[in-house]
Amino acid sequence: MNIIKHKNIFFTFSIAITLAGLIALYAWGLKLGIDFAGGTLWEIKLTEKSSLSPQEIEKTFEENGAEISSIARTSENSALVRMKATEEEKISTLKQKLNETYGKVEDVRLETVGPTVSKELTEKAIYAVAMTIGAIVIYVTWAFRKVPKPASSLAFGVSTVIALVHDVVVVIGAFSILGHFLGLEVDSLFITALLTVLGFSVHDTIVVFDRIRENLRRHSASSLEEIVNHSILQTLARSLNTSLTVVIVLSALLLFGGESIRPFIIALLIGVVTGTYSSIFIASPLLVVWNNIRSKSKR
């Protein structure tokens, strides 16, 4: 199997899904959770065995001046309410009204984030992702500084950053689409998932890159295209098996885990799949493209 021979097909596919994500992000943006948009997140639960009606909850809240963004039932007798930042006094009034309607109601979760804090969290999240990508590129370039010719350490670093940016854009674009159609929100756990995806992706990429470095020393007479393709095939089974085990675990968590961690698990699932794909079909072929461009410029 010659993966490098068909690299343009993989590049075209990646460009297509990346553009789709960017267009979705431009058109719809991200559905921000209270961590970034500010607001109150309140999960309520009935102590008695009866059913909560989202419509009744919404009616009760609106009658008392609360601005609701969404209500999701988390179980038969509990619901998660997202609304604009609400003071404790208003929360107490709402709880009293719910007690009158449903009987005894208890707080499972109650969080309020103001606009100043949410803005600060947004800035820190962007810095965290940017600094992580920058640090990874610097490390990869340094780690492969003694790579045999015709490859260069700079090519390894640039290929890594392109693959990482590809992974980030795909995950963010997917959440833009899911947020628009399914109401999936982005919160601080989403940033944690992004950073985890970056770490997983670069780990997979370095496994392939390390095998390319070894084969450059062992098969110096072969062309870079042959060496890269051979290295990908040698590490392909390991990469796919590692990713598959992670996907199985994440799928189990998605099916049986709680509602609160579902966006986090979905982000990880998308990221693991795209990270494995970019390590094999994007980062490694880019080394060949870099070498071809450099050879032409020398001529």
Side-chain angles (χ1 to χ4, degrees):
M1 182 168 62
N2 195 335
I3 291 174
I4 301 301
K5 181 180 178 181
H6 305 291
K7 61 183 180 297
N8 289 337
I9 297 174
F10 303 125
F11 290 162
T12 303
F13 175 72
S14 292
I15 291 170
I17 59 174
T18 301
L19 282 176
L22 290 173
I23 291 169
L25 191 62
Y26 177 78
W28 301 318
L30 292 169
K31 188 174 177 62
L32 301 177
I34 65 164
D35 292 347
F36 300 119
T40 297
L41 186 68
W42 188 15
E43 186 172 3
I44 53 179
K45 181 180 180 181
L46 293 178
T47 55
E48 300 174 1
K49 290 185 177 179
S50 57
S51 176
L52 273 174
S53 168
Q55 292 78 16
E56 287 293 329
I57 294 173
E58 185 174 5
K59 183 181 178 182
T60 303
F61 278 43
E62 287 178 350
E63 287 175 351
N64 290 274
E67 297 183 46
I68 296 176
S69 59
S70 67
I71 299 176
R73 182 179 284 173
T74 53
S75 70
E76 188 66 24
N77 64 338
S78 64
L80 188 64
V81 182
R82 289 178 172 85
M83 52 188 175
K84 287 192 174 182
T86 309
E87 297 177 355
E88 290 184 16
E89 186 178 343
K90 179 62 70 67
I91 294 289
S92 299
T93 303
L94 291 169
K95 190 172 181 180
Q96 184 180 347
K97 294 293 182 181
L98 290 171
N99 285 334
E100 293 173 3
T101 306
Y102 293 102
K104 183 66 175 175
V105 173
E106 67 176 20
D107 300 336
V108 177
R109 181 181 174 193
L110 180 60
E111 301 172 7
T112 299
V113 177
T116 304
V117 177
S118 63
K119 182 181 178 182
E120 185 179 342
L121 283 172
T122 303
E123 291 174 354
K124 286 184 177 179
I126 295 170
Y127 291 151
V129 173
M131 287 177 64
T132 301
I133 292 176
I136 288 173
V137 172
I138 292 170
Y139 169 74
V140 171
T141 305
W142 179 83
F144 289 89
R145 65 193 183 281
K146 296 182 180 179
V147 67
K149 300 295 181 182
S152 73
S153 60
L154 183 59
F156 281 84
V158 172
S159 299
T160 301
V161 73
I162 292 173
L164 292 179
V165 170
H166 166 273
D167 298 341
V168 169
V169 171
V170 169
V171 175
I172 292 176
F175 261 70
S176 177
I177 296 169
L178 292 172
H180 179 73
F181 290 104
L182 301 178
L184 209 61
E185 293 185 344
V186 170
D187 55 14
S188 55
L189 276 178
F190 176 77
I191 302 303
T192 306
L194 268 187
L195 296 176
T196 305
V197 166
L198 291 177
F200 185 90
S201 179
V202 77
H203 170 269
D204 218 17
T205 302
I206 285 177
V207 168
V208 183
F209 280 2
D210 198 48
R211 184 57 60 90
I212 291 172
R213 178 169 56 182
E214 289 177 9
N215 287 332
L216 280 169
R217 291 175 180 145
R218 293 174 182 173
H219 310 286
S220 55
S222 301
S223 67
L224 182 63
E225 183 172 330
E226 292 173 335
I227 291 171
V228 171
N229 191 72
H230 184 57
S231 302
I232 292 173
L233 295 179
Q234 284 181 322
T235 56
L236 185 62
R238 174 182 173 178
S239 297
L240 293 178
N241 288 335
T242 302
S243 300
L244 184 60
T245 55
V246 177
V247 167
I248 291 171
V249 173
L250 292 175
S251 299
L253 286 172
L254 183 63
L255 291 172
F256 305 111
E259 182 73 25
S260 58
I261 64 168
R262 188 157 294 168
F264 173 70
I265 301 302
I266 292 173
L268 282 179
L269 263 173
I270 297 170
V272 166
V273 173
T274 190
T276 304
Y277 171 84
S278 67
S279 299
I280 298 169
F281 301 107
I282 302 297
S284 301
L286 279 173
L287 295 175
V288 176
V289 173
W290 177 284
N291 184 66
N292 292 341
I293 292 172
R294 192 172 66 169
S295 298
K296 288 180 181 178
S297 65
K298 285 182 178 179
R299 294 197 201 108

